[in-house]
Amino acid sequence: MANFAKTFMIPRQEALNRGEEFKPEGFSNFEKIFFGFMEICETVETIEMILILVSINPPRSKKISVDLYFKHVISSYLSEVYILKERLNTYATKISRMYKKANLSHGIETNFDALYANIKNQLKDINSKRNDHVHNKRHSDDMLTSLALLKFVSDIDESFREGLNIQYKILKINWKQFMLANNEEMVKLLINYFDIIFEWITVDGDIVLPNRVTRGI
């Protein structure tokens, strides 16, 4: 993908450096292919970053409540996984529409139907967890509620501080394990996903625009 981007971005940047406006032939299709890919990469990187945030302690500040911080991190993770699902579906739809006329003999519609099903199935559990809560309130569960109660009481009675710390450590371990397992499934999904995507947008290993695709039947 990087080499594909260079063939469009380098001449465009050179023209801009000369004060000229220039878009290489096929630039519109390039943008659809490249920037859709980058959106997915950005979401995956965000999901991986949130796993790091779960693993470390929140910033040491009296202005940051540990329970609200942790709940925000969890809600962000669930939201980003949902965004990933939507972006994978959108990108697959865009690519299938762009390339399906390039060579109908390869059964592109069948491949992408299977791909949509795979996206839905592999992200089903975590997306259902998100959908159960997102329309009414931020994600919560019994342990997160307990953490919030302990934080509230410990602000008044220091004797509850140890219980708060223990509950927070348990939550960190549980959610870290959950995210690690989910991220492993996400990687498997992405490998399968882009195997299918690149099968359709490449010829002899190089990404080509749909109007330039030629394959043997």
Side-chain angles (χ1 to χ4, degrees):
M1 186 64 77
N3 289 332
F4 173 65
K6 285 167 60 177
T7 62
F8 288 88
M9 297 304 295
I10 289 176
R12 176 166 169 75
Q13 188 59 50
E14 289 175 345
L16 291 174
N17 291 341
R18 296 191 300 268
E20 302 171 1
E21 178 62 32
F22 172 70
K23 289 185 179 181
E25 181 185 355
F27 191 79
S28 177
N29 279 335
F30 158 72
E31 287 185 311
K32 293 176 184 177
I33 297 167
F34 181 71
F35 289 107
F37 172 81
M38 290 303 298
E39 283 182 340
I40 293 171
C41 290
E42 178 186 87
T43 306
V44 171
E45 289 176 1
T46 302
I47 289 171
E48 292 174 342
M49 180 187 69
I50 295 173
L51 174 58
I52 296 173
L53 293 178
V54 164
S55 304
I56 62 178
N57 290 326
R60 291 182 175 275
S61 172
K62 292 182 179 180
K63 296 181 179 180
I64 298 178
S65 175
V66 64
D67 60 313
L68 293 179
Y69 171 85
F70 196 79
K71 187 177 290 187
H72 175 72
V73 171
I74 299 305
S75 296
S76 296
Y77 181 82
L78 298 175
S79 294
E80 289 298 326
V81 172
Y82 178 79
I83 290 171
L84 176 62
K85 178 179 77 73
E86 293 299 301
R87 286 184 169 176
L88 290 175
N89 283 330
T90 298
Y91 192 62
T93 299
K94 186 181 298 181
I95 294 297
S96 66
R97 288 174 178 172
M98 290 174 66
Y99 283 83
K100 69 179 180 180
K101 292 183 180 179
N103 192 331
L104 295 177
S105 66
H106 283 245
I108 189 168
E109 292 182 359
T110 301
N111 279 357
F112 277 98
D113 285 344
L115 187 59
Y116 294 134
N118 196 34
I119 294 168
K120 180 179 179 180
N121 290 335
Q122 288 198 251
L123 296 178
K124 178 176 62 178
D125 290 341
I126 192 165
N127 278 309
S128 64
K129 184 185 286 288
R130 174 191 182 275
N131 291 334
D132 286 343
H133 302 275
V134 70
H135 298 298
N136 299 315
K137 57 184 179 181
R138 291 185 177 87
H139 177 76
S140 185
D141 58 30
D142 290 343
M143 294 190 71
L144 285 172
T145 300
S146 177
L147 183 71
L149 289 173
L150 284 168
K151 173 62 173 62
F152 179 78
V153 176
S154 66
D155 286 342
I156 303 171
D157 188 341
E158 280 290 330
S159 65
F160 286 86
R161 182 68 57 179
E162 183 178 357
L164 171 66
N165 292 335
I166 292 173
Q167 183 75 345
Y168 179 63
K169 289 178 181 178
I170 292 172
L171 274 168
K172 280 178 60 177
I173 292 171
N174 289 349
W175 276 97
K176 182 179 179 180
Q177 290 175 343
F178 172 79
M179 290 182 185
L180 282 170
N182 190 69
N183 286 9
E184 287 180 5
E185 292 301 312
M186 178 185 70
V187 170
K188 295 176 185 177
L189 168 63
L190 290 170
I191 291 172
N192 176 66
Y193 178 90
F194 281 108
D195 279 347
I196 295 176
I197 293 291
F198 283 115
E199 177 185 350
W200 280 97
I201 68 176
T202 62
V203 173
D204 297 328
D206 295 322
I207 299 173
V208 294
L209 298 180
N211 61 324
R212 300 174 185 172
V213 174
T214 56
R215 293 186 177 93
I217 297 177

